[in-house]
Amino acid sequence: MAQNAPPRHGPSTLTVKGRDMRIRTLGFLVLAGLAIWFIAVNTGSVSIRLWIPTVTLPLWVVLTVTLLVGVLLGMFLSMRRRARR
């Protein structure tokens, strides 16, 4: 007996200025904008202790490096997950 498989649906999309955009992409753009804004408004200097030395850097540099490390780790983990499948 053949069973009818339910129709496959693509990713959720939203039309913006006549273009279909994935909701996931829009969420990423909103989060990226908020992260950039947060980094831009935090311009004071901070002291950071790195095991032995203590360095003084602008907070925006620390936040940018932290964001980039997080993005790289997320990309690495997603590639590993995809490779396992």
Side-chain angles (χ1 to χ4, degrees), residues 6-23:
R8 288 198 158 197
H9 296 287
S12 300
T13 60
L14 189 67
T15 303
V16 177
K17 293 184 180 181
R19 292 178 51 191
D20 284 340
M21 293 188 74
R22 290 174 62 178
I23 292 177

Side-chain angles (χ1 to χ4, degrees), residues 35-36 38-46 48 50 55-69:
I36 291 169
F38 185 75
I39 289 169
V41 297
N42 286 291
T43 57
S45 292
V46 293
I48 300 172
L50 301 170
V55 295
T56 301
L57 294 168
L59 184 56
W60 70 267
V61 171
V62 176
L63 292 171
T64 302
V65 169
T66 304
L67 177 67
L68 292 176
V69 168

